[in-house]
Amino acid sequence: MLSRAAERVYWLARYLERVENTTRLINVHTGLMMDLPREAEIGWFTLVSLFDGDAFYHARHPKINENNVMHFLLADTDNPMALINALSALRENARTSLDLLPEETWEQVNELYLQVKTELPALYNRRRRQHLLVAIMERCQTIWGIIANHMSRNHAYYFLQTAKHLERTDMTSRILEMASLLLKDNRGDDVRAFDGLLWTHLLRSLSALQMFTQQYGSNLVAAQVLDFLTHDAHFPRSLAFSLSSVGHSLSALPEPDTLLARQQALLAIVDELDCRDIPAETIHQQMDTLQVQLADLNRLINQQWFYPDAF
């Protein structure tokens, strides 16, 4: 398989997973904001911080409000983190990988892009925006279903899977950063009074609420939620499961030993994380560190398979 082709399908999967997770997070956070009292200290800007976009946002918007945050995260073509730019990159990588993917993949990706372009002007209407976000999530899941059910288990497939689970690990770590905000010792009484609601929304952002309650019951305890999303070996969006899946996919690709060693080292770090008794600020730092290490694994993948002559 050519390096350029491998790189295209790899980034197709990263952008597809990024689009779904960004949409999922904005959708759930909007629900949370509707349930919290207006004076609560958690606001729209929490979303921008999760994507490390604080400085860039302030350079573009003098005020923090719902409309500006939604424009920044969804429609701002000058913001590389915006959903519309991830969708454009997804579409381009799908268009140039037609010979490697089930043909329905391109049809779904193109229809998704055109739908979002058409309906983005309505993003300032909350109800219509929520409908659009749900439609995006459903379309992304359809595309993953087509890939899972109609694609041979070849190198292109395993590049897709490696990228999907690497991106998913990164997004789960960012959502756990949100948990660290909720756990701060100095959070106000207005937030403490809604702790159960906050944990419910956090689990929903990863579609984890039902699986969590099957295991732990309906009493949401912070330590159990954090342990579930970090270590559960059977839930597909936990850090441990996603990183293990990265290793499984890497092992099906040529000469993976160096990358597998790095993946195993990362998995060992996640295994040793104990989110139950440590300060919230430490969780924040641990997730930041994990994101840097995930970026380094991505760099090594580039070095190994996409640009071996550049290093």
Side-chain angles (χ1 to χ4, degrees):
M1 187 177 184
L2 295 174
S3 296
R4 296 292 298 273
E7 185 185 20
R8 286 197 298 268
V9 294
Y10 176 85
W11 279 103
L12 182 155
R14 290 211 66 161
Y15 286 123
L16 178 57
E17 187 70 13
R18 190 172 301 175
V19 166
E20 180 183 346
N21 283 290
T22 300
T23 306
R24 183 188 296 272
L25 194 57
I26 294 173
N27 181 49
V28 171
H29 191 77
T30 299
L32 175 63
M33 294 300 296
M34 296 306 97
D35 289 337
L36 285 175
R38 186 179 296 273
E39 64 274 15
E41 61 210 64
I42 296 174
W44 293 105
F45 198 71
T46 304
L47 282 171
V48 177
S49 297
L50 284 177
F51 292 99
D52 298 326
D54 301 39
F56 195 46
Y57 177 93
H58 287 304
R60 300 181 59 74
H61 297 286
K63 293 183 179 180
I64 296 172
N65 56 42
E66 179 180 357
N67 283 348
N68 284 347
V69 169
M70 288 302 129
H71 175 78
F72 181 75
L73 293 177
L74 293 174
D76 188 346
T77 54
D78 293 327
N79 172 18
M81 296 167 281
L83 180 132
I84 190 62
N85 289 325
L87 263 177
S88 296
L90 165 64
R91 182 172 183 256
E92 180 61 17
N93 281 289
R95 186 188 67 79
T96 53
S97 304
L98 298 177
D99 55 331
L100 298 171
L101 302 168
E103 61 184 21
E104 297 92 340
T105 307
W106 163 248
E107 295 171 10
Q108 291 289 332
V109 169
N110 193 43
E111 289 179 10
L112 171 61
Y113 176 80
L114 295 175
Q115 179 184 6
V116 173
K117 285 281 286 184
T118 301
E119 298 186 25
L120 261 187
L123 69 89
Y124 304 111
N125 179 298
R126 189 179 295 159
R127 182 183 295 275
R128 293 177 64 183
R129 184 177 73 228
Q130 291 305 95
H131 283 308
L132 177 60
L133 294 177
V134 171
I136 294 172
M137 283 188 283
E138 290 175 348
R139 184 81 73 165
C140 289
Q141 290 163 8
T142 298
I143 296 167
W144 281 124
I146 290 170
I147 290 171
N149 290 300
H150 301 289
M151 188 167 179
S152 298
R153 271 39 178 176
N154 51 24
H155 284 166
Y157 177 82
Y158 287 110
F159 275 117
L160 284 167
Q161 294 301 311
T162 298
K164 170 185 175 180
H165 292 291
L166 192 60
E167 183 73 27
R168 184 173 292 183
T169 308
D170 181 86
M171 181 57 75
T172 299
S173 74
R174 293 180 188 278
I175 290 173
L176 288 172
E177 274 192 69
M178 178 189 280
S180 72
L181 173 67
L182 309 182
L183 279 172
K184 280 183 176 177
D185 292 336
N186 62 354
R187 67 190 188 278
D189 291 339
D190 57 336
V191 172
R192 289 178 188 273
F194 289 87
D195 272 0
L197 183 66
L198 296 172
W199 293 118
T200 298
H201 280 282
L202 189 79
L203 287 165
R204 279 182 177 160
S205 70
L206 291 166
S207 293
L209 181 60
Q210 185 177 0
M211 295 301 108
F212 175 85
T213 54
Q214 284 181 8
Q215 189 165 331
Y216 291 99
S218 57
N219 186 25
L220 302 185
V221 178
Q224 291 176 342
V225 173
L226 293 174
D227 191 55
F228 180 77
L229 295 179
T230 303
H231 296 124
D232 193 273
H234 306 290
F235 181 65
R237 291 184 180 274
S238 75
L239 291 177
F241 186 100
S242 299
L243 263 178
S244 296
S245 298
V246 169
H248 175 75
S249 300
L250 285 174
S251 64
L253 293 168
E255 301 179 11
D257 293 348
T258 301
L259 295 166
L260 279 173
R262 184 61 62 92
Q263 174 265 338
Q264 286 295 315
L266 270 174
L267 188 58
I269 293 171
V270 168
D271 286 342
E272 292 175 1
L273 289 176
D274 185 354
C275 302
R276 292 169 298 182
D277 299 319
I278 60 178
E281 187 59 31
T282 304
I283 296 176
H284 189 131
Q285 293 168 358
Q286 288 175 333
M287 293 303 115
D288 272 349
T289 302
L290 178 61
Q291 287 156 25
V292 171
Q293 292 165 331
L294 290 169
D296 192 52
L297 178 57
N298 179 70
R299 181 188 61 79
L300 289 176
I301 289 171
N302 273 273
Q303 179 178 338
Q304 167 104 6
W305 286 309
F306 307 151
Y307 299 98
D309 297 331
F311 296 90

